Every structure is written in C-alpha cells, then in structure tokens.
Amino acid sequence: MAPVILQGVSKVYANGVKAVDCVSLSIADGEFVVLVGPSGCGKSTTLRMIAGLEEISSGSLIVGETRMNDVPARRRNMAMVFQNYALYPHLDVRRNMAFGLERRRSHGSLLKALLNSTYRDKRTAERKAIDARVSAAAATLGIESLLHRKPRELSGGQRQRVAVGRALVRDPVAFLFDEPLSNLDAKLRGEMRTELRLLHQRLRATMVYVTHDQEEAMSLADRLVVMKDGVVQQVGTPTQVYGRPANRFVAGFVGTPTMNFINGTIEAGGVFRWSAGTLQLPQARWVGLSGWQGKPLELGVRPDQIRVGTGSSRGRVIAVENYGDRMDVVIESGGLRLTSRSPTAPLREGTESSFELLLESAHLFDPAAAGNSLPHLSPTSTA
Ligand code: ADP
C-alpha cells in the first residue's frame, strides 16, 4: 500500500470540457477517502485519472515516491470496482475473481511453457497460489459457497461482493471504487456499507471511493472530498464537513434533511433581520460580526436546531413527515419553508404553530463571496 498524492491535477476533455480543475489532495497510506458531489462534478474523472484510465491534462499524480502520469493503467497495480460490476458472464465466480491474476501470469511464452518442465512446475505453483488467494478473498467476503456459480445465478449484492473480491485478490497499492453500490436497493446498500467499513478496518488499505450520495460518503469516509464543477470545495472528516462547512454549497449538500437557509441583513448588536422578523445572533460565534452590519448575509440552521411548538416565531405547518422515531415538520414563515427535525411533534398539517431557531451552532454565509462561511470563533469539535 502507498500514499496517493494529486498535485494540481486537471482534466480537459477533447470537447473542451474542463471536468477537473486543479485538484490537490494527499491520501495517506491506509486511508479511506470518499470523493463526493453532485453528478457531473468530476469525481469519476478524478478516480479514472488515478487509475490510469484517463490521461491527466496537467498536474502530477504521485503514488509512493513515483510520478505515475505516464505509467499505463496495467502497471499501476490499482484495483478498481465499478458500478456495473463488469463480471464476465461465461466465467464462474472463481474464474472471474482469478481473471486479472491469470492474465498477468499468462504473459509468459506458451512455447517456453511447453518445452521447459521447470517453467511448467512454476506455472502450476502459480496456479495454486492464485487459487489460494481467491479462496482467502472469498472467505473474507463470505462467498465461498458461490465460487462455482455464474454471475447470472447471483443476486445484485452477491455480484457486488464478487466484484470486490476480484479487487481483493490482487493485493493492489490502492482500491478505487466508482459508485459501487448504486445498483443495489437501499437496505442492501446499507449492509454493504458496513461490510466495506469492516473490510477497510481489516485490510487497512488505501481506498478511494466515489459517490454522489452524501449519506453513503459520510458513513464510509475517514475523510471526505466535496467537489463541485471540477473544484474541491472542502476536505475534512465527516464531523468537520458537517460541523464547519466551508461554504453554502457544502452546507447544503451534506446533511439530511438539508440545512435551512434564510436571507437577511445584520443590524447593530448582532441582530439578524429577515422577512419574518429579527433574530438575536450569538455574537461570540463569529469573528468580527459587527463589521458585517448592513450587508446581506445568509443564515444557515440545521433542521435539528429548529424547535416547533415553542418560541416567539410563528408559522404555518404545511407538512408533517412521521418516521416513527422522529418527525420532520415543514413550517412556512416569512415566505420561506423551514424544516424542523425533532423526536416528537404533536402538530397537525394546516395549523399555526410557534417555533424557535436555536442559533448556537448556526452558520453565516456571504453571498458576495461565493457563499463562503464566515469564520467561527466558538470551538466546534473538529475530530
Ligand atoms: P461525476 O463522476 O462527478 O458524475 P464525471 O467525472 O463523470 O462526473 O464528469 C465530469 C464532467 O466531464 C461532466 O461535465 C461530464 O459531462 C464530462 N465528461 C465526462 N466524461 C467525458 C468524456 N469522455 N468526454 C467529454 N466530457 C466528459
């Protein structure tokens, strides 16, 4: 295993699309890093450049100590797991898993093999070693009983395990996953996430994982790389990205339900005026808040920081979503729709209700500076 380092890596496709724009990233040996962002933000292109499946337009890719830009994919020893599994339908699971290794092995001369008994012995030993590796990987993934089945005789989850198994047998410098769980149903996806985390704990391998699903990203990552329009927006642990989003885009992208955003203006004494009234901001939370007086800003409040049935703000309950263990209540106030998440909400749709915005962990964003977060003063856990 080895660290993977991207230095100002960009990709411009032949049609002129700049898919990846100067990405710099250092992935530590044994780290699980997830590239996450909306469709088309350049995640797959970044991963494919690491794999060697896409040429790097500018910048450097370093693996271990070696610059890899011009090293062909087959020499990079990266194992890639794709969304569509890419299994060979005519081969059984064992042969599918062994395929990459056998292909590498078969580069020797066939004639030499036929003429030379020492060489034949060596090939027999190699075959045995491959069999042992396939069996070990199958045991790790709990698919020993499937080794003689063809892909069409497997469920989606089992096929996905085989695809991971094929990566596992290769003992690569890094595992690269491109939306590997997208074709599975929600429940199975959840189970596979846990299995991938366990696999990572066991192997301590460098893993780079691409997904558009922020929940999946949060659940898997040691560190997240949030991307938009080919540009890295923030790199950090799930706690850092959730607790201290670098800008409005990251704040809105991470977290379910989405953060509430309220446009308004700062007045004297840290008062925030919005369409439904005023709110007293905890001034100690931000650096130099008074300097923003008179300027339009956007306040961000997570749904679990809005309490309904209490407080001095008023609104109309337009939807109550009951998840059994919690309620999401959508309130309309001042022309905005705000979502509150709370354990209980004895409210009916169509009624008026009081509500309260808890602002101790609120965020402020500057629309004039690409939605950048105003720097926080008060400590938030950065673990
Ligand atoms: P993501 O994985 O985040 O969905 P991609 O890396 O696949 O995004 O694509 C990033 C951008 O590059 C998109 O605008 C996409 O249309 C474009 N793109 C991807 N592959 C190609 C290609 N082979 N040729 C031209 N443009 C491409």
Side-chain angles (χ1 to χ4, degrees), residues 85 87 151-164:
Y85 320 135
L87 301 178
R152 66 171 178 277
E153 299 165 318
L154 304 174
S155 71
Q158 289 167 335
R159 277 180 216 169
Q160 189 54 62
R161 278 195 188 83
V162 176
V164 173

Side-chain angles (χ1 to χ4, degrees), residues 116-277:
N116 182 331
S117 70
T118 316
Y119 196 81
R120 267 204 312 275
D121 289 348
K122 191 166 159 246
R123 285 179 67 109
T124 308
E126 275 176 3
R127 172 167 283 283
K128 276 196 180 142
I130 289 174
D131 270 353
R133 275 162 80 163
V134 169
S135 298
T140 302
L141 295 163
I143 53 172
E144 300 109 305
S145 62
L146 306 177
L147 284 172
H148 297 292
R149 288 207 203 162
K150 295 273 171 56
R152 66 171 178 277
E153 299 165 318
L154 304 174
S155 71
Q158 289 167 335
R159 277 180 216 169
Q160 189 54 62
R161 278 195 188 83
V162 176
V164 173
R166 191 172 43 183
L168 214 59
V169 295
R170 290 186 43 192
D171 194 19
V173 292
F175 289 87
L176 310 177
F177 296 94
D178 193 357
E179 304 249 6
L181 307 184
S182 302
N183 288 339
L184 306 179
D185 64 56
K187 190 165 177 297
L188 193 54
R189 229 168 32 228
E191 288 169 18
M192 286 299 288
R193 277 184 212 165
T194 311
E195 287 194 23
L196 285 172
R197 266 313 299 174
L198 290 173
L199 191 67
H200 180 250
Q201 281 169 23
R202 213 173 311 145
L203 299 176
R204 280 287 141 213
T206 309
M207 293 186 171
V208 189
Y209 189 106
V210 159
T211 179
H212 64 276
D213 179 339
Q214 56 89 20
E215 253 180 17
E216 186 164 303
M218 298 284 272
S219 71
L220 286 170
D222 292 334
R223 273 193 313 155
L224 297 161
V225 179
V226 186
M227 293 181 70
K228 179 184 170 240
D229 299 335
V231 177
V232 172
Q233 305 290 308
Q234 188 168 5
V235 180
T237 64
T239 310
Q240 287 167 340
V241 169
Y242 184 88
R244 291 190 172 215
N247 56 37
R248 188 198 187 283
F249 172 79
V250 175
F253 187 74
V254 168
T256 315
T258 305
M259 183 184 279
N260 297 287
F261 294 103
I262 303 170
N263 284 301
T265 318
I266 305 282
E267 297 181 352
V271 169
F272 183 81
R273 179 171 295 280
W274 68 300
S275 50

Side-chain angles (χ1 to χ4, degrees), residues 359-375:
L359 300 174
E360 290 308 317
S361 55
H363 305 266
L364 282 171
F365 305 100
D366 179 7
N372 280 343
S373 292
L374 264 59

